[in-house]
Amino acid sequence: NRSWIAAHVLASGNLCMGDDSSINPYVFIEGNVRIGNDVMVAPLCAIMGTNHTFSSPDVPIAEQPTTTAGIVVEDDVWLGAGVKIVDGVLVGAHSVLAAGAVVTRDVPAYSVVGGVPAEVIKTRGADKRPSREHRRQRGRCRALTESGYRSKRQ
């Protein structure tokens, strides 16, 4: 598997992580989050697979229900330092999310996104994409928040 989660990562909810992926220190993950193979999550990211509702002004927000659509980060994605991803987002394979980006909508595969809110800056490697039969197929995603994980102290 060779995936690892660094010290000082806070993960709650249902985290599922593929092979050869890494989550660096001071990352916050909450709700239903699925991370694919070969994903790099830089320090200080927040992956928020849950959200508060606030429809009733007469009820404190903390007492209103939450929703959980979940987040999917497909294979071979790099989240730069400080990236924030909100609930309901799908990050397409082979994408790069620039440092500090706030991702509020789906990211197409092979995209480079940045900004607040994040927008597609460019498409990467359009002429060099591997064919479907040449893509690596590896192990299934492992539920880490329920069965434990390997921690790499830095």
Side-chain angles (χ1 to χ4, degrees), residues 46-129:
I47 305 171
M48 307 295 298
T50 188
N51 201 1
H52 288 277
T53 60
F54 51 91
S55 57
S56 176
D58 300 328
V59 177
I61 295 170
E63 295 178 14
Q64 295 188 43
T66 59
T67 60
T68 303
I71 293 172
V72 175
V73 178
E74 293 183 337
D75 296 345
D76 186 32
V77 172
W78 176 21
L79 279 64
V83 165
K84 312 296 185 251
I85 304 175
V86 300
D87 192 29
V89 167
L90 169 74
V91 178
H94 314 287
S95 293
V96 176
L97 284 58
V102 177
V103 183
T104 60
R105 58 183 169 235
D106 290 354
V107 174
Y110 293 93
S111 295
V112 177
V113 302
V116 180
E119 295 183 4
V120 175
I121 298 169
K122 67 180 185 176
T123 300
R124 61 183 291 256
D127 58 335
K128 298 179 182 175
R129 293 181 187 170

Side-chain angles (χ1 to χ4, degrees), residues 1 3 5 14-18 23 142-150:
N1 177 329
S3 289
I5 298 176
N14 297 311
L15 170 62
C16 191
M17 188 170 165
I23 301 175
R142 289 154 182 79
L144 298 178
T145 53
E146 303 205 357
S147 63
Y149 57 85
R150 287 187 291 161

Side-chain angles (χ1 to χ4, degrees), residues 6-21:
H8 309 293
V9 170
L10 178 58
S12 65
N14 297 311
L15 170 62
C16 191
M17 188 170 165
D19 294 335
D20 300 315
S21 294

